[in-house]
Amino acid sequence: MPRDHDDTDLDSVDRNILAELQGDGRMTNVELARRVNLSAPPCLRRVRRLEEAGVIRGYHADIDPVALGWEITFFALVGLESQKQAVLDAFEALATSWPEVRECHMIRGGGDFLLRLVARDTAHENELTARLTNAPSVLRVQTLQTIRTAKDAAGVPIG
Amino acid sequence: MPRDHDDTDLDSVDRNILAELQGDGRMTNVELARRVNLSAPPCLRRVRRLEEAGVIRGYHADIDPVALGWEITFFALVGLESQKQAVLDAFEALATSWPEVRECHMIRGGGDFLLRLVARDTAHENELTARLTNAPSVLRVQTLQTIRTAKDAAGVPIG
DNA sequence: GCTGAAAAGCATCGCCT
DNA sequence: AGGCGATGCTTTTCAGC
């Protein structure tokens, strides 16, 4: 269930905690406490409160896709032939069910989606693009293949 | 220095470890060991090896942008008027220097970039779009505003 | 809200299989 | 390579400020 974010007032210590954990999510609580100039128990309580308030949504290891055989990361801009809710829902359900689709964003303007996908190789990428193109109600697919990622910062600026 | 990914052979235990840590990067080592049916010391050795091999690139807390006042996430597809290296480099240096730009990907085809940005509100978003449009060598900016994120999976599929 | 002590649990090392 | 046991930290709770 979604939570109102306004019920959580974040002071500067909270923001420091968030910045530290965004940078290193596996830091021990004592190290975190040291960095934000707190002793361990209140620091831990703040972290728990931030987790329970939904400010911290989770912690994830950042894994090199290439090491697991995902040589290609690409985006796809998909245009649908209708903006009817049923059509949007059907496409969303299809796209999110594919493991290769890592992100699926509905874009303002109606009937467009931006996807981030991974593929094992060029053949796999072509197959995924073809599957998208041939999916029901899909009008056009523009693939945006990443050749270089100059910046891939986690999350949000905290300052 | 880049590392050859072929020097790291991942067995099924390694893949299970990666899947678990991608799902919960703050899990304790004993809990992780229990889940992958190992005792704690060899489990920790594997995690350290995966970190040192660059398979695990880091651990990050996943923070709700809205809780920190970043109400808008959007993408921008930026076209430059040249594919000269100096022009690409200059744009990349500019874009990556903005804290609101969280990702900057060079797109195949030449002279295009896909950015992911956050903004505090609509006015801020407009200002960022204008700053992009007016940046040197920028020919066109297409903003893709996210109205709904149906899937935002961490990293890559691990099976 | 924080501190400090104390119990329980965890990380990590050396050695053995 | 994985497991066992020991040691020193870390986490977590609880009392008290």
Side-chain angles (χ1 to χ4, degrees):
Chain A
M1 62 199 69
R3 201 177 274 266
D4 187 345
H5 59 279
D6 289 336
D7 61 1
T8 325
D9 268 352
L10 304 178
D11 63 15
S12 70
V13 178
D14 287 326
R15 275 194 289 272
N16 286 340
I17 287 173
L18 294 173
E20 293 292 343
L21 288 178
Q22 184 170 263
D24 177 6
R26 227 175 147 71
M27 187 183 303
T28 65
N29 183 60
V30 285
E31 172 65 12
L32 178 61
R34 197 188 60 73
R35 295 198 189 194
V36 302
N37 294 310
L38 231 54
S39 60
C43 185
L44 186 62
R45 259 176 315 193
R46 279 171 181 263
V47 172
R48 293 284 177 265
R49 194 170 54 77
L50 291 166
E51 288 168 354
E52 273 151 35
V55 177
I56 298 176
R57 296 187 292 201
Y59 303 88
H60 305 286
D62 171 23
I63 293 166
D64 180 8
V66 173
L68 278 155
W70 303 102
E71 297 279 342
I72 299 173
T73 293
F74 67 106
F75 293 85
L77 202 45
V78 177
L80 302 186
E81 66 191 15
S82 156
Q83 300 185 32
K84 286 207 195 89
Q85 195 63 42
V87 171
L88 302 179
D89 290 350
F91 177 78
E92 216 175 74
L94 179 70
T96 58
S97 75
W98 298 0
E100 297 94 340
V101 172
R102 305 313 291 170
E103 295 177 36
C104 174
H105 307 281
M106 192 185 290
I107 295 301
R108 180 148 86 183
D112 284 330
F113 286 86
L114 180 67
L115 312 180
R116 177 172 67 86
L117 301 99
V118 291
R120 299 206 167 274
D121 49 36
T122 306
H124 187 196
E125 184 197 356
N126 290 340
E127 185 219 314
L128 288 167
T129 305
R131 274 163 64 195
L132 279 176
T133 305
N134 295 323
S137 305
V138 168
L139 215 57
R140 67 191 178 285
V141 176
Q142 180 186 359
T143 62
L144 307 167
Q145 194 180 331
T146 294
I147 55 171
R148 177 181 144 75
T149 294
K151 181 171 183 175
D152 192 0
V156 293
I158 305 175
Chain B
M1 61 200 71
R3 200 176 275 266
D4 186 346
H5 59 280
D6 289 335
D7 63 359
T8 326
D9 267 354
L10 304 178
D11 63 14
S12 70
V13 179
D14 287 326
R15 276 194 288 273
N16 286 340
I17 288 174
L18 293 173
E20 293 292 343
L21 287 179
Q22 185 171 262
D24 177 6
R26 224 175 149 72
M27 187 183 304
T28 65
N29 182 60
V30 287
E31 172 65 12
L32 177 62
R34 196 187 60 72
R35 294 198 191 195
V36 302
N37 294 311
L38 231 53
S39 60
C43 184
L44 186 62
R45 272 184 304 232
R46 280 172 179 265
V47 171
R48 293 284 177 266
R49 194 172 55 77
L50 291 166
E51 289 167 352
E52 273 151 34
V55 178
I56 298 176
R57 297 188 291 202
Y59 303 89
H60 305 286
D62 171 22
I63 293 167
D64 180 8
V66 173
L68 278 155
W70 303 101
E71 298 280 341
I72 298 174
T73 293
F74 66 107
F75 293 85
L77 202 45
V78 177
L80 302 186
E81 67 191 14
S82 156
Q83 300 185 31
K84 286 208 194 90
Q85 197 61 44
V87 171
L88 302 180
D89 290 350
F91 178 77
E92 216 175 72
L94 179 69
T96 58
S97 75
W98 298 359
E100 296 95 338
V101 172
R102 305 313 290 169
E103 296 176 36
C104 173
H105 307 280
M106 192 185 290
I107 295 303
R108 182 148 87 182
D112 284 331
F113 286 86
L114 179 66
L115 312 180
R116 177 173 67 86
L117 301 98
V118 292
R120 299 207 166 274
D121 49 37
T122 306
H124 188 196
E125 184 198 355
N126 291 340
E127 185 219 314
L128 288 167
T129 304
R131 274 163 63 194
L132 279 175
T133 305
N134 295 323
S137 306
V138 168
L139 214 57
R140 66 189 179 286
V141 176
Q142 180 186 0
T143 61
L144 307 167
Q145 194 181 330
T146 294
I147 54 170
R148 175 180 145 74
T149 293
K151 181 171 182 175
D152 192 0
V156 293
I158 304 175

